[in-house]
Amino acid sequence: MLVAGPPALTPAGYAQQDSRPLSLEQIKRLIQNDFPDTALAGEIRDRGIDFSATFDRQTLESLRLLGAQEKTLRALEPYLPKASVRVITRLDRTIVLVDGKQYGITDTTGILQINDLEPGEHLIETRNRPRYKDGQLRVVLRPRDNQEVVFEPEVNVGTLTITPLTPNLEVTVYNELASLTGTFAKRELAPGIYTLQARSRWHQPITQIIQIKAGQHLTLPVELELDEALLETTVVEAQKAFSSKDYTRSVNILLEVLNITPRNLPALNLLAQNYLRLNDTPNFTATAKRILDADGTLDFALLLHTEKKGPQPVRLQLSRTALTLEWLDGSETQTFPLENFSRAFIRGDVQSEIFLVLAGARAPKRIPDLQFSMANTYDPRDENREPQLSQRDKINLLWNIEEVLRFSLEVHREFLAVAAARPGREPARPTDQPPSGKGKPAVPASRAQEPAPDPPDQTARKEPGSAPKAPSRIPGTTPGKRRKMPKKPKIPSVRKPNLK
């Protein structure tokens, strides 16, 4: 008697029987019954499997040994268990790579979740912003793992601070990868070798090689040397503008130079001459005081009036301690200490002539007054090129010169009084040589900070063409107190004109 077995399974009949996920036993039985590879792969993709929680690569290999073909194995691979990794860099916008392949960028919290990694060993790398070092780490992932991989940020820069010791300093720091300018106050730079260039208009530029290391805080003071040649050339340019009577341009050039070198005597002297010609009394007076404070000499071309001779062109040179007259014809030079004079003032005569008077001291022996007037030009030696001065110009110039002379006499008198009031000390006497006819004037050797004992009172020996030298302190007076000025003689005077 024959017993009929179960009917043979066909792809169409099998699909009609069930649509539930395939079990592992069903797949094995279909493989053993030589179920077509393409049809089985389609059933797995359409219906899925119910053993994904326990399915692993070892199970897949057992099916291969049982006779599973390529398409069936490929349909089962997506059900293999994967591993996950949570990359934490604490930095946003960090690029994350796994085994050299980019998987994404960290979010604003510095985290990137990576799923569907094959179990096994992997190399995880981070590409950070230039300020931080890149990182890498090897991990071993088991099936269904979800590991956390943490990369602590490590600074990959050094800082550079430049302390400028020169005004208007311009700094550039560069290498083959970057070029930076501007201020450098803890400026972050990537490690490497850099070239530093510093420049300023009135100084000589420098170039220096520096090295920046990761984590290093480098501080560099930068000071440039003055470009003396450039300063001299600029003063010459101002002199040319002065010669061409472009006084405003000359003043602007000189102010730039004096902003860098405030005690530049050639620039100060030329600036004073510009202000004289511009009739700018306040700025002229201020500049003249700066010249005297810098131990410089003021220079004025005047006419000296004496009883025996007519007006003689002279150059009046004023320093902090002395006054020198140089006859422009080269006949002689005389130097007088400032204590020879008591005051400076302007007076006029009945012919409406205006004079600058330096009143000589009256004790211990009367010293003759010096009386000056203005020539018809600023410089009597060059009358052809210099413009003719009006009466108003002459009055303005004499008032300017009188203001400076009066200031110098007052400052010198106060210095002598202060020096005389010091305990156990006498006022210092300037060592300018007395008038001695022809010759070069002596340089004042006494200073306020080095007072010398006052020699016994004596009257300087009078030589032909010279004036007597007065002692630095009047006998019979109390040191430190001003003596009364002699009464002004009753002569016609001139009021200071209002030129506005």
Side-chain angles (χ1 to χ4, degrees):
M1 180 176 179
L2 295 177
V3 179
L9 292 176
T10 64
Y14 188 81
Q16 292 177 357
Q17 288 186 7
D18 201 348
S19 61
R20 291 176 298 176
L22 295 169
S23 65
L24 180 60
E25 294 299 327
Q26 288 177 317
I27 294 176
K28 287 182 178 180
R29 188 167 65 250
L30 291 172
I31 294 173
Q32 291 173 345
N33 291 332
D34 296 328
F35 198 81
D37 183 39
T38 303
L40 181 55
E43 290 294 323
I44 295 174
R45 284 192 294 268
D46 294 339
R47 297 170 59 181
I49 61 175
D50 64 359
F51 55 96
S52 57
T54 58
F55 184 62
D56 56 15
R57 192 163 294 278
Q58 184 177 358
T59 305
L60 183 65
E61 188 62 26
S62 65
L63 294 176
R64 183 192 304 276
L65 295 176
L66 190 62
Q69 299 181 19
E70 181 180 355
K71 294 180 180 180
T72 300
L73 296 175
R74 195 179 305 136
L76 288 170
E77 282 181 356
Y79 297 99
L80 287 171
K82 304 295 183 181
S84 301
V85 65
R86 184 181 176 87
V87 180
I88 302 174
T89 64
R90 309 188 195 283
L91 298 172
D92 61 342
R93 294 175 295 169
T94 297
I95 300 174
V96 179
L97 300 91
V98 177
D99 299 328
K101 178 183 177 182
Q102 180 175 333
Y103 268 76
I105 300 176
T106 58
D107 58 16
T108 56
T109 62
I111 297 175
L112 176 65
Q113 179 69 35
I114 301 177
N115 300 315
D116 298 332
L117 288 178
E118 294 292 337
E121 183 176 336
H122 296 277
L123 175 63
I124 300 177
E125 300 174 275
T126 58
R127 298 285 186 265
N128 293 310
R129 299 193 297 274
R131 188 174 186 272
Y132 300 93
K133 290 183 178 180
D134 296 337
Q136 63 177 15
L137 186 65
R138 288 192 176 274
V139 296
V140 177
L141 301 177
R142 295 189 300 270
R144 300 179 181 85
D145 264 356
N146 186 14
Q147 290 191 23
E148 282 192 355
V149 180
V150 180
F151 291 89
E152 293 294 341
E154 186 175 355
V155 176
N156 189 38
V157 296
T159 62
L160 174 63
T161 299
I162 293 178
T163 305
L165 303 179
T166 299
N168 303 321
L169 189 66
E170 299 177 4
V171 179
T172 302
V173 177
Y174 65 91
N175 61 9
E176 63 277 4
L177 299 177
S179 179
L180 303 173
T181 58
T183 58
F184 288 81
K186 293 185 177 180
R187 190 83 170 262
E188 292 184 348
L189 296 174
I193 304 296
Y194 291 85
T195 300
L196 183 149
Q197 289 183 342
R199 62 178 65 86
S200 182
R201 179 182 176 186
W202 302 103
H203 301 80
Q204 298 179 4
I206 62 169
T207 300
Q208 183 178 346
I209 303 299
I210 60 174
Q211 182 178 8
I212 302 296
K213 299 179 180 179
Q216 179 189 24
H217 303 284
L218 181 61
T219 300
L220 292 177
V222 177
E223 183 176 14
L224 305 184
E225 295 183 1
L226 279 174
D227 192 341
E228 300 291 348
L230 177 60
L231 290 171
E232 292 178 5
T233 302
T234 306
V235 174
V236 170
E237 182 183 351
Q239 180 66 55
K240 291 179 180 178
F242 175 82
S243 301
S244 62
K245 302 180 180 58
D246 192 353
Y247 304 125
T248 302
R249 179 171 177 268
S250 180
V251 167
N252 292 334
I253 295 173
L254 293 170
L255 289 178
E256 288 189 50
V257 174
L258 292 170
N259 187 43
I260 303 299
T261 54
R263 297 173 70 88
N264 189 318
L265 286 175
L268 284 171
N269 279 301
L270 184 56
L271 184 64
Q273 295 299 325
N274 276 285
Y275 285 139
L276 264 181
R277 283 150 176 77
L278 291 170
N279 289 329
D280 190 341
T281 300
N283 280 323
F284 167 75
T285 305
T287 305
K289 293 176 181 179
R290 289 176 63 182
I291 294 174
L292 296 177
D293 289 341
D295 292 330
T297 302
L298 289 167
D299 201 319
F300 309 105
L302 300 170
L303 295 178
L304 175 66
H305 294 259
T306 60
E307 296 179 359
K308 297 181 180 181
K309 297 182 180 181
Q312 305 170 66
V314 297
R315 185 164 295 280
L316 186 151
Q317 297 174 348
L318 176 65
S319 67
R320 293 176 62 179
T321 57
L323 181 147
T324 299
L325 292 180
E326 176 189 352
W327 273 256
L328 297 185
D329 59 6
S331 60
E332 74 180 299
T333 299
Q334 292 186 358
T335 301
F336 305 89
L338 287 184
E339 55 262 37
N340 275 16
F341 305 99
S342 59
R343 62 180 180 136
F345 59 91
I346 299 291
R347 75 169 184 84
D349 60 9
V350 293
Q351 285 83 23
S352 299
E353 187 71 26
I354 307 301
F355 297 97
L356 168 64
V357 181
L358 271 173
R362 299 298 187 260
K365 186 176 180 179
R366 181 183 176 87
I367 296 176
D369 298 344
L370 296 179
Q371 183 171 275
F372 304 92
S373 67
M374 282 299 303
N376 291 327
T377 63
Y378 287 108
D379 191 345
R381 294 178 297 181
D382 195 2
E383 294 186 356
N384 295 329
R385 295 183 58 187
E386 290 283 350
Q388 295 292 315
L389 295 176
S390 65
Q391 184 70 4
R392 186 176 70 172
D393 292 336
K394 293 181 181 180
I395 295 174
N396 283 335
L397 289 171
L398 285 178
W399 277 114
N400 288 333
I401 298 172
E402 183 265 347
E403 177 77 14
V404 175
L405 286 171
R406 184 159 48 83
F407 165 78
S408 300
L409 292 175
E410 291 177 357
V411 170
H412 190 67
R413 200 156 44 238
E414 290 177 4
F415 159 70
L416 294 177
V418 171
R422 293 178 181 174
R425 295 202 176 196
E426 292 291 332
R429 174 188 294 276
T431 58
D432 301 301
Q433 68 178 30
S436 57
K438 294 183 180 180
K440 188 176 181 180
V443 178
S446 62
R447 299 296 177 105
Q449 62 269 26
E450 299 177 357
D454 194 15
D457 295 335
Q458 59 182 6
T459 304
R461 183 169 58 86
K462 186 175 182 180
E463 297 184 8
S466 63
K469 182 176 180 180
S472 59
R473 181 164 57 86
I474 307 300
T477 61
T478 303
K481 296 183 178 180
R482 293 188 183 181
R483 60 188 178 86
K484 293 185 178 180
M485 305 299 294
K487 293 184 178 180
K488 185 176 180 180
K490 295 182 179 180
I491 55 177
S493 59
V494 178
R495 293 183 179 181
K496 189 171 182 178
N498 185 4
L499 301 181
K500 295 183 179 179

